[in-house]
Amino acid sequence: QVQLVESGGGLVQTGGSLRLSCAASGFTFSSYTMGWFRQAPGKEREFVSAVTWGVTTTYYQDSVKGRFTISRDNAKNTVSLQMASLKPEDTAVYYCAATQRVYRGSLFDMKEYNYWGQGTQVTVSS
């Protein structure tokens, strides 16, 4: 019933750009904060970015600030992550997720998210 499907992953060179998209269905998209997480080989899944529902606010992990941009299109039930100036350390599986939360702090925590996509691989070559 609930589905989040990521797309746009692939192989890119250091310094390059990539745009990830997530298509949502089965829930009231416009009433959910949407987030992006990533998991690199041998590492824990970590918060990347989020955009709230309602009065839209964006949040970013420090390491991606100024390089990544999150956006949402409620008419299309999609959230995107525009990634620029990519580095090898950005290599990971990127996951789209949804939560009803809007307050800062909770958005960094994986356990606050209700729904998850299957992930899309991003590989940045050096």
Side-chain angles (χ1 to χ4, degrees):
Q1 188 171 357
V2 172
Q3 192 171 35
L4 296 175
V5 181
E6 302 95 334
S7 62
L11 176 64
V12 65
Q13 293 181 301
T14 297
S17 298
L18 207 59
R19 184 179 180 87
L20 305 183
S21 294
C22 173
S25 61
F27 64 99
T28 307
F29 180 82
S30 60
S31 295
Y32 276 75
T33 289
M34 300 301 299
W36 287 95
F37 289 76
R38 67 186 181 186
Q39 187 165 22
K43 295 186 178 181
E44 300 258 319
R45 192 171 299 185
E46 65 177 359
F47 173 83
V48 177
S49 184
V51 56
T52 62
W53 69 273
V55 181
T56 304
T57 305
T58 58
Y59 299 92
Y60 299 92
Q61 180 201 110
D62 287 344
S63 69
V64 308
K65 286 181 180 176
R67 299 191 298 121
F68 290 12
T69 302
I70 190 170
S71 61
R72 67 187 299 155
D73 187 339
N74 288 341
K76 296 182 178 180
N77 284 12
T78 60
V79 61
S80 297
L81 186 68
Q82 179 66 51
M83 306 183 293
S85 302
L86 285 162
K87 307 172 181 179
E89 49 263 48
D90 294 318
T91 295
V93 176
Y94 283 71
Y95 298 89
C96 174
T99 178
Q100 294 175 285
R101 309 296 190 189
V102 296
Y103 46 92
R104 185 172 60 184
S106 66
L107 304 184
F108 296 97
D109 195 342
M110 291 186 296
K111 71 176 184 294
E112 298 289 351
Y113 287 77
N114 305 82
Y115 311 127
W116 291 85
Q118 82 293 336
T120 185
Q121 177 71 49
V122 172
T123 303
V124 184
S125 63
S126 59

